[in-house]
Amino acid sequence: MTMHTLLDLPCQVTQLGSLQSIICITGFLQTLLKKGVKNIVVQGLPPTGCLPLAMALAPVDDRDDLGGVKTLNNQSYTHTVVYQKTVQDLRKWFPDAVITYLDYWNAYSMVMKNPKKYGFKEPFMACCVSGGPPYNFEVFSTCGSSDASAYPNPSQYINWEGVHLTEAMYKVLSRMFLSGTQSSSICFLEGQETARVNGS
């Protein structure tokens, strides 16, 4: 079995959330589907404005209801909406394939709206970096540098080093995706649309 990844893309995804990146990724998915791939998992974008890197670099008056950088989250959300429509189109064009969409935006947002429910005490602070509150992030002193260190309880943090999530956050998101609460797939059988949503 051949494994295909985004590294196989014939074009480069240069700007997060851009129409060009959606066109490029859609072309890649169409190529796979035309080659007979029957099962594809497509992951959406998270609210990128909630990452400590974004929070540390953006003006403090650029915030949204999640507490993240409004301009970046708006861009990620717009990308998500367009990408979901693209996935719906792919499902119609390739009715024999099962295309599962992982709703990263809504899953991440659920955690950000109530982090304590999921066991997190620090929604915006990085676990392994330096710099102290409010984000524990310094652009020139990232995790792995001599003056950076990790906090003793990384499972209480959403973010590891300003860009990547902690194992605990990935576990929460994975459970949402695998249980079907934040994923969906549609099959078209004999002209009848059958939705498999929320694990059903």
Side-chain angles (χ1 to χ4, degrees):
M1 177 168 77
T2 304
M3 180 65 117
H4 296 282
T5 69
L6 287 179
L7 297 176
D8 299 328
L9 284 173
C11 53
Q12 288 187 326
V13 179
T14 56
Q15 183 181 1
L16 181 66
S18 72
L19 180 58
Q20 180 184 0
S21 70
I22 293 173
I23 292 168
C24 182
I25 293 168
T26 302
F28 173 73
L29 294 173
Q30 285 177 326
T31 299
L32 292 178
L33 291 161
K34 286 176 184 176
K35 289 183 176 190
V37 170
K38 296 295 180 197
N39 294 289
I40 290 182
V41 177
V42 179
Q43 176 180 306
L45 289 178
T48 54
C50 292
L51 299 174
L53 167 66
M55 303 283 292
L57 297 176
V60 294
D61 62 343
D62 185 11
R63 298 294 184 261
D64 61 10
D65 62 332
L66 292 175
V69 179
K70 184 176 184 175
T71 52
L72 285 176
N73 281 345
N74 285 347
Q75 183 182 18
S76 295
Y77 182 76
T78 300
H79 181 277
T80 296
V81 170
V82 173
Y83 202 44
Q84 285 176 337
K85 170 70 172 100
T86 301
V87 169
Q88 290 172 358
D89 290 343
L90 286 171
R91 288 172 174 159
K92 290 176 186 172
W93 298 333
F94 298 93
D96 295 331
V98 176
I99 304 171
T100 301
Y101 179 79
L102 304 182
D103 192 348
Y104 210 143
W105 174 271
N106 281 314
Y108 198 111
S109 296
M110 281 179 63
V111 175
M112 293 304 292
K113 289 176 182 174
N114 192 358
K116 289 185 175 154
K117 175 182 176 184
Y118 299 95
F120 300 114
K121 86 173 194 186
E122 293 294 344
F124 294 110
M125 202 165 174
C127 180
C128 177
V129 192
S130 63
Y135 312 117
N136 196 31
F137 183 82
E138 287 290 330
V139 174
F140 299 108
S141 184
T142 58
C143 192
S145 62
S146 60
D147 55 339
S149 61
Y151 288 126
N153 297 315
S155 64
Q156 296 178 345
Y157 295 81
I158 289 174
N159 198 278
W160 176 245
E161 38 51 299
V163 178
H164 298 97
L165 306 179
T166 59
E167 183 178 338
M169 180 61 164
Y170 281 125
K171 186 180 285 188
V172 168
L173 294 174
S174 294
R175 285 181 179 153
M176 289 178 177
F177 298 147
L178 293 172
S179 71
T181 60
Q182 292 301 323
S183 60
S184 66
S185 56
I186 307 273
C187 253
F188 292 90
L189 302 172
E190 298 177 22
Q192 298 292 328
E193 184 176 321
T194 305
R196 289 185 301 219
V197 182
N198 298 334
S200 58

